[in-house]
Amino acid sequence: AFLVESTCTSFSETNPYPLSILNNIKMAAMMSASKVAFAKGVSFKAERASKVAAPRAVCASKASAFGGKQLKMQARQLRSVAKFSVQATSTSKPAIEAEEMQTEAPTTLLRSDGTPSDSMRAQFEKMIRAAQDEICASIKELDGGEFREDAWTRPGGGGGISRVLQGGKVFEKAGINVSVVYGKMPPEAYRAATGGTDAKKSDAYIPFFAAGISSVMHPHNPMAPTVHFNYRYFETEAPEDDPSAPRAWWFGGGTDLTPSYIFEEDIKHFHQTQKDACDKTDEAFYPKFKQTCDDYFMIKHRGERRGVGGIFFDDMNDRAPEELLKLATNCAAAVVPGYAPLVKKHKDDAFTPEQKAWQQMRRGRYVEFNLVYDRGTTFGLKTGGRIESILMSLPLTARWEYDQKQEEGSEEAKAMEAFRNPPDWLNM
């Protein structure tokens, strides 16, 4: 039942972004459970529907007596979704292989298959590995604590490196992950992703490659903001039985700031740093990416954003990959100069127990967004990724308080106004 409902949602839910390859893989992964589990779900769904909507469930042909064409259409949609789901589960294969822990990080996470050093795969891995080293060094200098490093590989190639500083002097939790993933997606997801007309339909699973860096840093002090960033590259290969089929690739990523309290000069500094990084590639990028970021980090059930935004882009393949690699590189390089000065400025600020409680409330909002809406988190949870790395983004502590209200004119109310109605920070 969950599989059917999830698939319906993925097709019908209003989304400000195009149906990306990532979403299709996520959808396919959700449907890659065993046939038995799916059959039980559909059986339960049918049984529940028959009890709740008795006469309607007897036969779609009788739907006219209870609402006509609309009910018939809903019945056809449900059958189509069920058919698609059964087809997608006809070959039960894991999307990603299980990881094998390593005592130290390997020189490369790429397969030892002669991947050229000038390939986009190799260039992107080199970039994210260097960014991880540089950002970890900066955070270590700021905090004084040590990062724990976990490295893993997968039998068929790929792996990851997680570095986490927990319970530090400045940071409650700071983590920077890099990963390289080789996997296979069902043909239905591939056709939806590439928009193929399928003159030659293939039943073969399509190999894909993904690499990325992802980070979240939560300081102790409520006056110091949280930051999140991730940059990623994705590509598919042609199925083995149809080498002429189209291949797909794209870049995505972004950096965003989540303060508990609003210091306008800090937020302007952060946004200006992101704009400067984008402008090196195209001056049209920052305003577009800022709006996309404000839209993406909306906590829909709350009617508020997670923070004060930044930049966010996805599904980008509209220009040369070398140009987009430059964009991702410049944006990743902007993390430290855009964020570290803000933490250094506020890490020793005085604060009250009430201000700490407000920070914990905002951390609760952070958790809500990540577990309900974040594409990367939900994708990892549905495809069998390494759970500790996936949930690294969550804070150590958070708070949910029943019917919490902000006092009019307070700093907390000022923050909520910014979360609900994000301004143009660079033109205030």
Side-chain angles (χ1 to χ4, degrees), residues 115-176:
T115 302
S117 60
D118 61 349
S119 69
M120 188 51 61
R121 295 183 180 191
Q123 291 183 69
F124 197 84
E125 190 211 15
K126 181 179 179 181
M127 185 276 283
I128 61 177
R129 295 285 294 267
Q132 185 184 43
D133 289 343
E134 293 166 6
I135 295 167
C136 283
S138 175
I139 297 304
K140 180 180 177 181
E141 181 180 357
L142 188 60
D143 185 279
E146 294 289 336
F147 279 88
R148 167 181 169 173
E149 180 177 279
D150 288 331
W152 68 95
T153 59
R154 293 189 170 91
I161 304 166
S162 286
R163 293 179 185 168
V164 178
L165 189 160
Q166 188 166 281
K169 295 177 182 178
V170 175
F171 290 95
E172 176 183 283
K173 192 179 185 184
I176 303 99

Side-chain angles (χ1 to χ4, degrees), residues 29 72 78 97 116 256 312 363 383:
K72 287 184 178 181
L78 184 57
E97 293 179 309
D256 64 283
F312 183 84
R363 294 273 171 85
T383 55

Side-chain angles (χ1 to χ4, degrees), residues 69-226:
K69 295 181 180 180
Q70 183 178 5
L71 292 177
K72 287 184 178 181
M73 180 180 68
Q74 291 173 346
R76 286 196 300 268
Q77 289 174 339
L78 184 57
R79 287 196 301 271
S80 296
V81 168
K83 180 180 179 182
F84 178 85
S85 302
V86 171
Q87 290 173 343
T89 57
S90 61
T91 305
S92 182
K93 296 182 181 180
I96 301 173
E97 293 179 309
E99 68 271 2
E100 298 176 350
M101 302 306 297
Q102 304 296 315
T103 56
E104 61 181 31
T107 304
T108 179
L109 296 168
L110 298 174
R111 284 175 175 165
S112 56
D113 57 0
T115 302
S117 60
D118 61 349
S119 69
M120 188 51 61
R121 295 183 180 191
Q123 291 183 69
F124 197 84
E125 190 211 15
K126 181 179 179 181
M127 185 276 283
I128 61 177
R129 295 285 294 267
Q132 185 184 43
D133 289 343
E134 293 166 6
I135 295 167
C136 283
S138 175
I139 297 304
K140 180 180 177 181
E141 181 180 357
L142 188 60
D143 185 279
E146 294 289 336
F147 279 88
R148 167 181 169 173
E149 180 177 279
D150 288 331
W152 68 95
T153 59
R154 293 189 170 91
I161 304 166
S162 286
R163 293 179 185 168
V164 178
L165 189 160
Q166 188 166 281
K169 295 177 182 178
V170 175
F171 290 95
E172 176 183 283
K173 192 179 185 184
I176 303 99
N177 297 339
V178 296
S179 63
V180 171
V181 178
Y182 294 88
K184 293 185 178 181
M185 66 172 124
E188 291 83 1
Y190 175 74
R191 287 192 283 269
T194 59
T197 56
D198 296 326
K200 176 183 178 182
K201 288 191 176 182
S202 170
D203 293 327
Y205 271 57
I206 291 82
F208 72 86
F209 168 90
I213 181 170
S214 179
S215 174
V216 177
M217 304 180 200
H218 297 290
H220 288 295
N221 197 304
M223 303 301 162
T226 287

Side-chain angles (χ1 to χ4, degrees), residues 7 10-11 22-32 84 189 192:
T7 308
S10 72
F11 282 115
L22 176 59
N23 285 336
N24 281 291
I25 297 172
K26 181 173 75 172
M27 178 181 69
M30 291 169 64
M31 297 186 297
S32 64
F84 178 85

